[in-house]
Amino acid sequence: GVEAQYEPIPDKQTDEGEDEPEYKLPEKPEALDYVLHPYRNTESFFTKLVKHYGWRFVVMMSVMYLLVKGVLSSTVGLVRLSYCKKSLKVDGPSCQTMGVIASTPWAMKGTIGVISDAIPLFGYHKNSYILLASALGTTSFLVLALSPLQSVTSAAIFFMVGNLEIAVTDLLCEGKYAGLMKSKPKSGSSMVSFVWGCCMVGGLIASCFVGPVADAYNPEVLFWVCIPLAASVAIPTLLGFLQDEQLPPENRGIRLDMIKVANVV
């Protein structure tokens, strides 16, 4: 793993004292104030976000929720039908079965969370798992782009691995920003709004190009787009932008108590 090379912004500077007020129109607004209101409001929102979480963490969440859960996840979901029809040449029920298998990782998020909390990988609860998931996802999309698969089962497995990356990275990043929100109550719901805004914009971007490209070309072309998207989350993670601290060697053992509690629940 790679340790963060910076100090996170102390909570004392972000959540103690007066919080920065949200932008509002002047008491007697002029026409220019109305024109500039969207820009000023957006600027105020991002200023508050960076103030509470730091620009590195905001960049990490941007990559994760705009590129990975936004564009990548939507692309994977939208391309599946065209891939089934034009590449695999299978009927609707088989395509549905493939979709069910491919979406399995989303039902395993609870188990994934327990594993990451109980078993620190190379001393990290999150960083190492994100990097591993990114490597697996990137490899799966590379195989889908290069190999002319004929089996629905094989294709479903590679789609499942791609979804596994998205589910793992989403879960671990979600856990991190939820913890930071709890420690920074004055940040309000700004991070949640930002995350879901990124997801919606990413989904909109994917919906604009997936259909036309899949209709005009072989659907495998879109998997080449998925490869850099799947790999993108590894860059800010390697740079330590997630702020996941490495555990000391004496604390890197397996937490059997957490696994037992999870099994009982």
Side-chain angles (χ1 to χ4, degrees), residues 12-26:
K12 191 173 182 180
Q13 294 179 9
T14 59
D15 282 340
E16 291 184 8
E18 269 187 56
D19 192 27
E20 189 171 317
E22 293 183 6
Y23 172 78
K24 295 181 180 180
L25 284 169

Side-chain angles (χ1 to χ4, degrees), residues 61 65 69 109 169-179:
M61 294 298 102
Y65 289 101
K69 194 174 181 182
K109 288 179 74 173
T169 53
D170 174 37
L171 173 71
L172 298 181
C173 288
E174 187 176 44
K176 186 64 181 181
Y177 78 68

Side-chain angles (χ1 to χ4, degrees), residues 158-212:
F158 286 110
F159 267 85
M160 182 179 70
V161 175
N163 276 319
L164 178 65
E165 179 201 351
I166 302 168
V168 169
T169 53
D170 174 37
L171 173 71
L172 298 181
C173 288
E174 187 176 44
K176 186 64 181 181
Y177 78 68
L180 289 176
M181 283 176 62
K182 187 176 180 181
S183 66
K184 304 173 188 293
K186 287 190 177 181
S187 65
S189 60
S190 57
M191 181 55 71
V192 176
S193 301
F194 175 69
V195 161
W196 281 103
C198 286
C199 288
M200 296 301 104
V201 171
L204 179 62
I205 293 171
S207 65
C208 289
F209 71 82
V210 172

Side-chain angles (χ1 to χ4, degrees), residues 23-30 33-34 40:
Y23 172 78
K24 295 181 180 180
L25 284 169
E27 290 185 9
K28 296 181 179 179
E30 299 178 356
D33 292 318
Y34 287 107
R40 289 171 176 169

Side-chain angles (χ1 to χ4, degrees), residues 74-92:
S74 298
T75 301
V76 173
L78 293 170
V79 75
R80 182 168 52 84
L81 182 59
S82 296
Y83 183 70
C84 287
K85 284 185 174 182
K86 298 178 73 172
S87 300
L88 298 177
K89 296 179 173 58
V90 296
D91 56 11

